């Protein structure tokens, strides 16, 4: 969310989009950018007549769209019946794995991992469509398969899905010989989804490195069922994926109004109950945060990757005197939450009582806008003063509108007659729930303090969500804090009275790491703090070492950069395809690796 640090107003910044846009007027966001094609392939009339009706035809179209031959799909439906799509898919995947003999796989260890690509050669298409035509070859392959061990069969299956033998072997060594195919593909996908693959999976060339945007675009050009869509199929089953077979669209993720999530203190809210998908149930618990008003489809994609957990959208104006619209995806319990005490001030007058003396009656603000990484300049405040001094009494409506627009945009407050000023760093710390002078601990400039605070959590909001952990971890908690910033999650847990046994904080900014380290020392924390500079350095080996040392992680927290998501960015608001915001995929990669390693160790 880095803005213009100089503080000059800029036409390229759309402040209303980020935090003041009326949510009820927003266009509905796309619930998913991954489309499983299901109605474009044609069905021969002879075979279509053997179906039981339109639903059968749609089912055949659905699997043909995945790349399976029409003949094989019909055969699978005849054997397993159209009512069990899982069995049909398993039959098709298993049969396709028998098409290539083990000797061929051993002779082509450099087979390129198949990710969604815009460039599918016609030669490949023809060879794939011919895979199911030679029944004699299938019989011989069946005999070869039966003579293989379970491990060799899994290696064969993974190789047919597009993985190299090396990748498949490493995945089996890491996850154990008894791991299912889903667990193995999950392990490999954790490395392939991020820009930096796990070092143990080998260095890939630039052409081989998958880009996150290809994982959910142009799916209809991919002719074989690969690891990502197999994994997503397993997840979608938990959300009634049969809607796709009926040509129904997923319900889009809508921003609520009011933005109170599953409830906030002192606000009447209905009692919510939710059932998490099986893959999302903790421990370990996870908690992901980012800006609520992201580009269309972003939250649907984030939700899909994070085990189909629905976001909880909350505006921090219900917790403090400043707005901060954020989305949170987590698997924490939502009952029996409680706020931090003492309750923070909820209005500008309560938070900044010295401003009341100078506050004009025509400025009706009671809440501040979202805290940004930049502040208004001295030139701006001087222009406002001169505009107001031209009038002895109440200025005309045109002047009022100009002044109020600038005050809302830059969070200016009244400090004297006709004088406004930006918030001081210690005032921003107070509004966001940090200790006074927290950001001075890094020995940094005012500009850097504003930047660090503008990218942080609102502590009271996060602590309200974390409060359910207090009774669960009375002896302390082991935290993996990704994109840890200035320690918002750590401070929230500390203020709740949850001991920090072990904290692994991953943060690329040395300034922010110094701030967190200074707070750790000033508060006499007794636990262990481990600093890591970059999430992309956190590979499988390092995670296994940390999990072995600390016995696992209780909570994995992160809020990846919002630079390419925030409404204040009109230069590179590229969503999850942007350079910085694509780091979300590293959060997912690391979370999935932690779950895999801890699950194997149990």
């Amino acid at each position: 969310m880095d803005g213009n640090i100089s503080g000059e107003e800029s036409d390229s910044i759309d402040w209303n989009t980020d935090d003041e846009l009326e949510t009820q007027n927003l266009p509905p966001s796309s619930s998913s950018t991954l489309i499983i094609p299901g109605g474009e392939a044609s069905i021969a009339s002879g075979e279509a007549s053997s179906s039981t009706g339109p639903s059968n035809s749609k089912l055949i179209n659905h699997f043909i769209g995945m790349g399976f031959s029409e003949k094989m799909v019909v055969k699978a439906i005849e054997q397993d019946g159209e009512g069990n799509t899982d069995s049909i898919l398993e039959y098709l995947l298993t049969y396709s794995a028998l098409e290539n003999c083990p000797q061929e796989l051993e002779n082509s260890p450099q087979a390129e991992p198949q990710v969604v690509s815009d460039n599918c050669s016609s030669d490949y298409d023809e060879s794939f469509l011919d895979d199911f035509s030679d029944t004699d070859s299938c019989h011989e392959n069946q005999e070869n398969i039966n003579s293989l061990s379970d491990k060799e069969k899994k290696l064969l299956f993974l190789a047919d899905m597009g993985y190299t033998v090396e990748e498949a072997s490493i995945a089996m060594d890491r996850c154990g010989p008894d791991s299912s195919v889903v667990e193995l593909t999950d392990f490999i996908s954790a490395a392939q989804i991020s820009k930096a693959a796990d070092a143990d999976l080998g260095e890939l060339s630039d052409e081989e490195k998958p880009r996150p945007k290809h994982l959910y675009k142009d799916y209809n050009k991919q002719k074989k069922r690969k690891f990502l869509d197999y994994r997503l199929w397993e997840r979608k089953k938990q959300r009634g994926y049969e809607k796709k077979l009926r040509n129904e669209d997923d319900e889009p993720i809508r921003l609520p109004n009011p933005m109170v999530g599953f409830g906030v203190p002192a606000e009447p809210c209905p009692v919510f109950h939710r059932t998490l998908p099986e893959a999302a149930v903790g421990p370990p618990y996870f908690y992901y945060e980012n800006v609520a008003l992201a580009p269309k489809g972003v939250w649907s994609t984030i939700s899909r990757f994070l085990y189909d957990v629905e976001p909880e959208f909350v505006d921090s104006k219900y917790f403090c005197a400043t707005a901060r619209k954020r989305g949170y995806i987590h698997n924490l319990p939502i009952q029996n939450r409680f706020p931090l005490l003492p309750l923070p001030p909820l209005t500008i007058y309560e938070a900044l009582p010295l401003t009341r003396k100078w506050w004009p009656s025509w400025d009706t603000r009671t809440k501040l806008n979202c805290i940004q990484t930049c502040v208004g300049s001295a030139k701006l405040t001087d222009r406002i003063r001169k505009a107001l001094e031209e009038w002895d009494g109440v200025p005309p409506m045109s002047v009022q509108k100009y002044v109020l627009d600038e005050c809302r945009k830059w969070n200016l407050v009244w400090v004297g007659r006709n004088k406004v000023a930006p918030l001081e760093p210690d005032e921003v710390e107070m509004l966001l729930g940090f200790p006074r002078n927290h950001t001075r601990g890094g020995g940094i400039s005012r500009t850097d303090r504003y930047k660090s605070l503008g990218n942080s959590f609102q502590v009271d909001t996060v602590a309200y969500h974390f409060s359910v952990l207090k009774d669960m971890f009375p002896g302390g908690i082991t935290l993996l804090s990704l994109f840890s910033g200035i320690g918002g999650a750590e401070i929230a847990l500390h203020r709740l009275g949850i001991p920090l046994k072990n904290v692994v904080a991953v943060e690329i900014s040395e300034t922010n790491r110094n701030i967190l380290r200074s707070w750790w020392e000033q508060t006499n924390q007794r636990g262990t703090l481990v600093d890591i500079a970059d999430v992309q350095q956190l590979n499988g080996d390092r995670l296994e070492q940390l999990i072995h040392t600390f016995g696992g992680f209780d909570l994995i927290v992160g809020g990846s950069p919002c630079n390419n998501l925030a409404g204040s960015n009109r230069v590179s608001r590229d969503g999850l395809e942007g350079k910085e915001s694509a780091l979300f995929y590293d959060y997912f990669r690391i979370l999935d690796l932690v779950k895999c390693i801890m699950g194997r160790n149990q």
Side-chain angles (χ1 to χ4, degrees):
M1 290 177 58
D2 295 352
N4 299 328
I5 301 302
S6 65
E8 287 294 335
E9 57 271 38
S10 171
D11 294 335
S12 65
I13 298 179
D14 186 352
W15 297 90
N16 288 340
T17 302
D18 193 19
D19 278 285
E20 289 188 339
L21 188 65
E22 291 296 327
T23 57
Q24 64 266 32
N25 294 328
L26 284 173
S29 61
S30 172
S31 62
S32 174
T33 51
L34 173 61
I35 302 300
I36 307 293
E40 298 177 357
S42 61
I43 302 296
S45 59
E47 293 181 354
S49 63
S50 65
S51 67
T52 58
S55 62
N56 185 284
S57 176
K58 290 181 181 179
L59 186 63
I60 294 175
N61 284 345
H62 175 76
F63 286 111
I64 289 177
M66 294 178 185
F68 298 110
S69 74
E70 176 185 327
K71 178 180 178 181
M72 186 51 55
V73 172
V74 172
K75 184 176 180 180
I77 293 176
E78 289 176 353
Q79 175 160 323
D80 295 312
E82 65 175 295
N84 194 335
T85 56
D86 297 339
S87 298
I88 296 172
L89 177 63
E90 186 67 27
Y91 179 92
L92 293 170
L93 289 172
T94 302
Y95 196 89
S96 65
L98 302 179
E99 295 304 305
N100 297 314
C101 64
Q103 290 83 356
E104 292 175 341
L105 292 172
E106 293 173 0
N107 293 333
S108 58
Q110 301 302 322
E112 186 177 36
Q114 296 294 322
V115 294
V116 178
S117 171
D118 292 340
N119 302 315
C120 296
S121 69
S122 58
D123 292 338
Y124 174 81
D125 292 346
E126 292 173 3
S127 65
F128 172 67
L129 292 175
D130 291 338
D131 279 349
F132 304 107
S133 61
D134 191 345
T135 56
D136 292 337
S137 173
C138 290
H139 180 71
E140 294 174 1
N141 288 337
Q142 179 65 58
E143 294 177 351
N144 289 332
I145 292 295
N146 291 337
S147 64
L148 298 178
S149 66
D150 289 342
K151 180 176 180 179
E152 290 171 331
K153 289 179 181 178
K154 289 178 181 177
L155 287 173
L156 174 62
F157 192 93
L158 291 170
D160 185 71
M161 294 175 75
Y163 301 117
T164 65
V165 175
E166 181 185 13
E167 285 178 322
S169 299
I170 291 174
M172 293 196 70
D173 290 341
R174 289 288 187 84
C175 298
D178 297 328
S179 301
S180 66
V181 172
V182 173
E183 291 172 332
L184 295 173
T185 55
D186 198 24
F187 178 88
I188 300 176
S189 72
Q192 290 190 339
I193 289 171
S194 66
K195 290 184 178 180
D198 190 327
D200 282 342
L201 293 178
E203 290 295 323
L204 301 177
S205 67
D206 290 338
E207 291 76 19
E208 289 173 314
K209 288 180 180 178
R211 297 187 179 183
K213 63 181 179 181
H214 290 158
L215 295 177
Y216 50 89
K217 291 180 66 177
D218 298 328
Y219 181 87
N220 59 316
K221 294 186 178 181
Q222 182 65 7
K223 289 297 183 181
K224 273 196 172 183
R225 184 81 181 167
K226 302 305 175 187
F227 76 94
L228 181 58
D229 39 288
Y230 183 84
R231 178 64 176 163
L232 290 178
W233 175 277
E234 290 295 315
R235 294 175 186 164
K236 289 295 183 182
K237 286 192 300 182
Q238 301 163 7
R239 296 180 58 195
Y241 192 56
E242 65 276 3
K243 290 196 296 183
K244 289 290 185 183
L245 302 179
R246 300 196 302 266
N247 262 348
E248 294 180 12
D249 294 329
D250 286 340
E251 184 69 19
I253 294 179
R254 299 179 183 274
L255 297 181
N257 186 24
M259 199 175 288
V260 296
F262 297 126
V264 295
E267 288 288 329
C269 293
V271 177
F272 290 93
H273 298 280
R274 69 168 179 172
T275 301
L276 292 172
E278 183 179 354
V281 176
Y285 293 100
F286 64 87
Y287 187 86
Y288 177 81
E289 178 262 9
N290 219 310
V291 293
L293 296 172
K296 184 178 181 181
V298 164
W299 276 108
S300 296
T301 301
I302 294 174
S303 174
R304 186 169 65 248
F305 273 87
L306 296 182
Y307 316 106
D308 286 322
V309 177
E310 295 296 329
E312 178 178 10
F313 293 106
V314 180
D315 190 340
S316 291
K317 71 179 183 179
Y318 298 103
F319 291 86
C320 64
T322 181
R324 202 170 187 81
K325 297 179 174 70
R326 294 293 182 265
Y328 305 89
I329 291 183
H330 60 85
N331 63 345
L332 297 170
I334 62 173
Q335 308 298 332
N336 301 318
R337 292 169 165 178
F338 59 87
L340 285 174
L341 296 176
L343 294 175
L346 295 179
T347 66
I348 297 175
Y349 287 165
E350 293 172 353
L352 306 169
L354 296 180
T355 65
R356 181 189 291 266
K357 177 179 179 181
W358 308 107
W359 208 276
S361 59
W362 46 268
D363 185 346
T364 59
R365 290 177 296 159
T366 60
K367 300 275 188 180
L368 292 166
N369 202 348
C370 179
I371 301 297
Q372 302 291 336
T373 57
C374 47
V375 296
S377 66
K379 291 182 179 179
L380 171 64
T381 57
D382 190 55
R383 285 199 297 269
I384 291 175
R385 178 184 60 81
K386 290 179 179 178
L388 292 173
E389 285 180 346
E390 293 182 0
W391 309 93
D392 292 333
V394 177
M397 293 297 297
S398 59
V399 176
Q400 292 183 30
K401 183 180 185 304
Y402 162 72
V403 172
L404 288 177
D405 286 347
E406 298 301 327
C407 286
R408 290 191 179 100
K409 181 186 296 184
W410 298 104
N411 273 328
L412 303 176
V413 296
W414 298 93
V415 295
R417 179 177 173 81
N418 298 327
K419 293 181 180 180
V420 292
L423 297 167
E424 292 294 322
D426 61 316
E427 293 172 333
V428 177
E429 290 167 344
M430 178 267 298
L431 290 167
L432 294 178
F434 289 93
R436 186 180 180 86
N437 293 324
H438 176 69
T439 51
R440 292 186 66 180
I444 59 176
S445 67
R446 285 168 55 90
T447 298
D448 286 338
R449 291 179 70 184
Y450 285 122
K451 182 177 180 179
S452 295
L453 288 163
N455 287 320
S456 69
F457 287 164
Q458 204 290 323
V459 173
D460 298 277
T461 308
V462 174
Y464 185 69
H465 297 160
F466 287 175
S467 62
V468 296
L469 297 171
K470 184 168 185 178
D471 291 337
M472 299 168 62
F473 298 98
I477 196 168
T478 296
L479 171 69
L480 175 56
S481 183
L482 306 175
F483 316 101
S484 57
I486 58 177
E490 291 84 340
I491 292 173
L493 292 167
H494 173 70
R495 290 186 60 191
L496 285 166
I498 303 175
L500 298 171
K501 290 196 304 184
N502 306 289
V503 174
V504 177
V506 188
E507 169 59 40
I508 196 152
S509 167
E510 183 179 5
T511 294
N512 290 344
R513 294 199 303 273
N514 290 338
I515 291 173
L516 177 58
R517 174 68 66 175
S518 176
W519 171 83
W520 189 271
E521 295 170 352
Q522 290 176 5
T523 53
N524 299 315
Q525 298 293 325
R526 298 180 180 180
T528 301
L529 174 62
V530 177
D531 290 322
I532 298 177
D534 190 350
V535 293
Q536 294 182 328
Q537 297 174 359
L538 197 54
N539 58 24
D541 273 346
R542 187 74 169 113
L543 283 169
E544 284 203 80
Q545 177 189 1
L546 292 167
I547 289 172
H548 176 75
T549 301
F550 299 134
F553 293 105
D554 303 312
L555 177 64
I556 298 96
V557 176
S560 54
C562 64
N563 303 53
N564 308 116
L565 306 182
S568 56
N569 187 343
R570 280 293 178 261
V571 178
S572 58
R573 198 182 187 210
D574 301 323
L576 294 176
E577 300 177 21
K579 179 180 178 181
E580 287 81 15
S581 295
L583 289 171
F584 157 74
Y585 295 100
D586 279 287
Y587 176 86
F588 166 72
R589 172 182 66 87
I590 293 168
L591 172 61
D592 230 32
L593 278 172
V594 169
K595 289 169 67 68
C596 179
I597 296 170
M598 290 181 60
R600 186 190 67 202
N601 292 342
Q602 288 179 352

